[in-house]
Amino acid sequence: MVEEKPNCKVILANNIAKRLLEEVHDGLKKIDRKPLLVGFLSSQDPAARVYAEWTGKTANENGFAFELRELDREVLEDALIDANNDDKVDGIIVYYPIFGNRQDQYLQQIVSIDKDVEGLSHQYIFNMYQNIRFLDDANTKKSILPCTPLAVIKILEYLQIYNSILPYGNRLHGRTITVINRSEVVGRPLAALLANDGACVYSVDINDVQTFTRGEGLRKRRHEVDEKPGWTIKDCLPISDVVISGVPGDTYKVPLEHMRAGAVCINFSSERNFTPEVKEKASIYVPAIGKVTIVVLLRNLLRMVQNKINAAEDAAQKAADEKAS
Amino acid sequence: MVEEKPNCKVILANNIAKRLLEEVHDGLKKIDRKPLLVGFLSSQDPAARVYAEWTGKTANENGFAFELRELDREVLEDALIDANNDDKVDGIIVYYPIFGNRQDQYLQQIVSIDKDVEGLSHQYIFNMYQNIRFLDDANTKKSILPCTPLAVIKILEYLQIYNSILPYGNRLHGRTITVINRSEVVGRPLAALLANDGACVYSVDINDVQTFTRGEGLRKRRHEVDEKPGWTIKDCLPISDVVISGVPGDTYKVPLEHMRAGAVCINFSSERNFTPEVKEKASIYVPAIGKVTIVVLLRNLLRMVQNKINAAEDAAQKAADEKAS
């Protein structure tokens, strides 16, 4: 039988970003002003500047106002507090690394929860790990998710790995996903998010393999983590439908020889973790996700502005009711 | 952590049938008459009569005319030839078993290919195995698929196991599916259809396990079959996303202890091949498919009527063109 070219659908982040932008544009139409995002650049890392410029460009092109404030890192904390208190500022993004140590995590917690478009506030991170999806008891105000893990989720939704036949919150039930990298910034929160949505996740790093799952029948309300002693990536790849890799640097490559034919592959590293041969074996390959991450940031900003408007309307209504009674 | 009830979505054939019926109703609106389906009952099997009555009821309720002809089996062949030649008859269905031997297969080939709503004509079966999707070179006239395997395909589409992000013809790429039963009537054609659409299929019967696949990267135009010496269902279930079982009789039960948590389970046996515990472990469970099969039959009938109308219009156009020139 004649062999044809391999069938792998390569999907560029740009196409996924476009669809998400349509949602954002629809939301913006219902607001009578341009939301203002303020970026704080105190990092010496050239990549941080590139990211800042890219945020500004995407924001401006899509109906948001963007202001970049370049500051000495020693005055950043006060500047953030000022921005927190400034009603004109809708969202705040800080470009890391700044001190490159735990002081950066301290600074992350300075940003007001109402303006933290990156979703790095402890309350958001706590809700994410605990699978608490709303900020209020009435379930009207959705919690914010950190941008890069959320970008991966949005990509998986676009790729229909999330099955909308299943109830919201369980739409990855039956999916087996390997996540390579367990950093606090992306890998671990991503593994938790996927498991909270019902997937069986193998979280792989240089030291070991862990499973994140809600158990058989998804009986648990949120994921639990189990060690897989003796397991390596070679055990995970043959049984995974989806392989998501984000190892920094240009030396790491996913060992494709162990991967299941027809797997869905997503790279969130700034380098390519998959060799070009991935197209010989995968059903879908997403080589980079950066453009989706920026749109997710704008989407978070929009949600915060909507929350603010809703809260103001509720307060006005309450005041009117009190006056009337 | 408190354990909750298991999350398994049980989907009844009725709901899937409803959506397919909407399609059929839309198609019927574009036709100025009631298509006539004629059923031939020469079987002594009480199940055949039940099926005949059920076809009639569904046809009548949904805008089709149905006529049941009960005949001695010795005159059936001539009666089928008469119906083939009768322009008023749009579709023919014969209720088997009749002789219960190879004579039944002979009778299946008597029904005209233009009226064979069950899709049992050799040309249709050949096209199905060969992954030839159209009857004509211009790819305008779709080939007919046998009803029960097609019903399973329609169910998998409904369940979004087919991924519409992937190109038509490859939408099961990356799916691993176990089909239990390899009968010529359903099990083997179903395994072939699923593999032709891109799945890796483990076809299991009492004797052995075979794989049906188009190879890594779906490079082959149609599926190939390989033996898996030494394999049993215990090797297939832990790596399968979807488990489809159609073993006749009430003794066979799928060994759920080997099944992957979160699998999608579909039963096409008239008995239950899954014990109730399937709901503890599966993400989706479809307990029966009969109602979908009947709608697929009506869908095939509608397609044949559409083909006939198109052919008549083409012939009229051609005649007009010749007259004009």
Side-chain angles (χ1 to χ4, degrees):
Chain A
M1 191 174 289
V2 180
E3 293 236 334
E4 300 179 12
K5 278 200 299 182
N7 283 289
C8 174
K9 182 140 180 153
V10 178
I11 298 191
L12 302 178
N14 211 21
N15 293 318
I16 307 167
K18 265 186 207 158
R19 188 184 305 167
L20 279 173
L21 272 173
E22 285 169 22
E23 264 184 58
V24 170
H25 293 161
D26 287 346
L28 266 186
K29 279 184 205 151
K30 296 176 190 140
I31 290 174
D32 57 354
R33 64 189 176 80
K34 272 191 178 192
L36 173 61
L37 176 63
V38 177
F40 289 87
L41 185 62
S42 305
S43 174
Q44 299 303 309
D45 187 335
R49 179 173 296 274
V50 171
Y51 186 34
E53 285 166 0
W54 200 18
T55 329
K57 187 170 179 293
T58 311
N60 286 325
E61 284 174 359
N62 290 286
F64 294 84
F66 181 77
E67 197 182 307
L68 187 64
R69 299 184 184 169
E70 295 192 51
L71 303 163
D72 187 277
R73 66 187 189 179
E74 297 303 337
V75 300
L76 179 59
E77 184 171 348
D78 284 341
L80 288 173
I81 293 167
D82 287 346
N84 283 342
N85 294 327
D86 181 351
D87 279 347
K88 291 191 295 299
V89 177
D90 294 299
I92 294 172
I93 176 169
V94 183
Y95 298 98
Y96 297 96
I98 296 164
F99 293 95
N101 58 25
R102 282 186 57 183
Q103 198 169 337
D104 285 4
Q105 277 86 69
Y106 170 79
L107 284 170
Q108 281 173 358
Q109 303 311 316
I110 298 292
V111 176
S112 161
I113 190 168
D114 299 325
K115 303 191 178 183
D116 173 22
V117 291
E118 293 184 278
L120 300 174
S121 297
H122 177 74
Q123 184 68 50
Y124 292 143
I125 301 289
F126 173 83
N127 284 357
M128 180 199 65
Y129 280 111
Q130 290 288 329
N131 202 14
I132 296 168
R133 295 182 182 228
F134 293 89
L135 288 168
D136 56 337
D137 292 333
N139 284 6
T140 61
K141 223 174 139 183
K142 269 189 143 185
S143 194
I144 295 291
L145 292 168
C147 290
T148 307
L150 181 55
V152 175
I153 303 274
K154 288 290 156 195
I155 289 167
L156 291 172
E157 285 180 356
Y158 181 93
L159 301 180
Q160 303 186 29
I161 305 304
Y162 275 72
N163 189 343
S164 61
I165 275 281
L166 295 172
Y168 171 75
N170 292 347
R171 290 184 172 160
L172 291 178
H173 193 183
R175 294 296 193 169
T176 306
I177 305 180
T178 290
V179 177
I180 308 168
N181 164 346
R182 201 186 302 128
S183 71
E184 280 301 299
V185 184
V186 188
R188 190 169 82 95
L190 177 60
L193 274 170
L194 298 174
N196 283 345
D197 277 342
C200 167
V201 181
Y202 295 108
S203 167
V204 180
D205 78 357
I206 200 164
N207 299 309
D208 64 1
V209 173
Q210 297 176 358
T211 57
F212 288 55
T213 76
R214 281 170 49 205
E216 212 166 83
L218 306 187
R219 280 182 184 74
K220 289 162 185 153
R221 204 193 48 73
R222 69 171 182 93
H223 74 282
E224 286 184 347
V225 180
D226 290 291
E227 305 285 338
K228 296 293 278 182
W231 274 49
T232 71
I233 192 164
K234 292 182 193 181
D235 301 291
C236 306
L237 290 183
I239 52 177
S240 291
D241 317 318
V242 181
V243 180
I244 306 172
S245 186
V247 180
D250 59 0
T251 51
Y252 180 77
K253 301 294 168 192
V254 176
L256 296 176
E257 66 276 23
H258 300 294
M259 195 175 77
R260 182 171 169 172
V264 171
C265 298
I266 300 172
N267 175 59
F268 69 84
S269 171
S270 53
E271 306 290 334
R272 296 282 160 103
N273 284 180
F274 294 92
T275 57
E277 288 69 41
V278 67
K279 292 179 210 166
E280 307 280 315
K281 204 166 182 181
S283 57
I284 300 176
Y285 171 48
V286 181
I289 72 158
K291 290 193 177 169
V292 179
T293 308
I294 300 269
V295 178
V296 162
L297 188 93
L298 296 178
R299 193 172 172 273
N300 278 349
L301 172 58
L302 178 67
R303 174 159 292 165
M304 284 169 165
V305 173
Q306 286 165 335
N307 283 347
K308 193 152 79 174
I309 291 171
N310 291 346
E313 284 174 356
D314 288 353
Q317 185 63 45
K318 207 177 159 192
D321 289 350
E322 277 171 9
K323 210 174 169 185
S325 71
Chain B
M1 191 172 290
V2 179
E3 292 237 334
E4 301 179 11
K5 278 200 299 182
N7 283 289
C8 173
K9 182 141 181 153
V10 178
I11 299 192
L12 302 178
N14 211 22
N15 294 317
I16 306 167
K18 264 186 207 156
R19 189 187 300 170
L20 278 173
L21 272 172
E22 285 169 22
E23 264 183 57
V24 171
H25 293 161
D26 287 346
L28 267 186
K29 278 184 207 150
K30 294 175 191 142
I31 291 175
D32 55 357
R33 63 189 176 80
K34 273 192 179 189
L36 172 63
L37 176 64
V38 177
F40 289 88
L41 186 62
S42 306
S43 175
Q44 299 302 311
D45 187 336
R49 179 172 296 275
V50 171
Y51 187 35
E53 284 165 0
W54 200 17
T55 328
K57 187 169 179 294
T58 311
N60 287 324
E61 284 174 1
N62 290 286
F64 294 83
F66 181 77
E67 196 182 307
L68 188 64
R69 299 185 183 168
E70 295 192 49
L71 303 165
D72 187 277
R73 66 186 187 178
E74 297 303 336
V75 298
L76 178 59
E77 184 173 347
D78 285 340
L80 289 173
I81 293 168
D82 287 346
N84 283 342
N85 294 326
D86 182 351
D87 279 348
K88 291 191 295 296
V89 178
D90 294 300
I92 295 172
I93 175 168
V94 183
Y95 298 98
Y96 296 96
I98 296 165
F99 293 94
N101 57 26
R102 281 186 56 186
Q103 198 169 339
D104 285 4
Q105 277 88 68
Y106 170 79
L107 284 171
Q108 281 173 359
Q109 302 312 315
I110 298 292
V111 176
S112 161
I113 189 167
D114 298 325
K115 303 191 178 183
D116 173 21
V117 293
E118 294 184 276
L120 299 174
S121 298
H122 177 73
Q123 183 68 50
Y124 293 144
I125 301 289
F126 174 83
N127 284 356
M128 180 199 66
Y129 280 111
Q130 289 288 331
N131 203 13
I132 297 168
R133 297 183 181 228
F134 292 89
L135 289 168
D136 56 337
D137 292 334
N139 284 8
T140 61
K141 222 173 138 185
K142 267 190 147 185
S143 196
I144 296 290
L145 291 169
C147 290
T148 307
L150 181 55
V152 176
I153 302 276
K154 288 290 155 194
I155 289 167
L156 291 172
E157 285 180 356
Y158 182 93
L159 302 179
Q160 303 186 29
I161 305 304
Y162 274 73
N163 188 342
S164 61
I165 275 281
L166 294 172
Y168 171 75
N170 292 346
R171 288 182 174 163
L172 291 178
H173 194 183
R175 294 296 192 169
T176 306
I177 305 180
T178 290
V179 177
I180 307 168
N181 165 345
R182 201 187 301 129
S183 71
E184 280 302 298
V185 184
V186 188
R188 190 169 82 93
L190 178 59
L193 275 170
L194 299 173
N196 283 344
D197 278 341
C200 167
V201 180
Y202 295 107
S203 167
V204 179
D205 77 359
I206 200 165
N207 300 308
D208 64 0
V209 174
Q210 298 175 357
T211 56
F212 288 55
T213 75
R214 281 171 48 205
E216 212 166 83
L218 306 187
R219 280 181 184 76
K220 289 162 187 153
R221 202 192 49 74
R222 68 171 183 93
H223 73 281
E224 288 184 348
V225 180
D226 290 291
E227 305 286 337
K228 295 293 279 181
W231 274 49
T232 71
I233 191 164
K234 292 182 193 180
D235 302 289
C236 306
L237 290 183
I239 52 177
S240 291
D241 318 317
V242 180
V243 180
I244 305 173
S245 187
V247 180
D250 59 358
T251 52
Y252 180 77
K253 301 293 170 193
V254 176
L256 296 175
E257 66 275 23
H258 300 294
M259 196 176 75
R260 184 170 168 172
V264 172
C265 297
I266 300 172
N267 175 60
F268 69 85
S269 172
S270 53
E271 306 289 334
R272 296 283 159 102
N273 285 180
F274 294 92
T275 58
E277 287 70 39
V278 67
K279 294 179 208 165
E280 307 280 315
K281 204 166 181 182
S283 57
I284 300 177
Y285 172 48
V286 181
I289 74 158
K291 290 193 177 168
V292 179
T293 308
I294 301 268
V295 178
V296 162
L297 188 91
L298 296 177
R299 193 172 173 275
N300 278 350
L301 173 57
L302 178 67
R303 174 160 293 163
M304 283 170 168
V305 174
Q306 287 165 336
N307 282 346
K308 193 152 80 174
I309 291 171
N310 291 344
E313 284 174 357
D314 289 352
Q317 185 63 48
K318 208 178 158 192
D321 290 350
E322 276 170 11
K323 209 175 169 183
S325 70

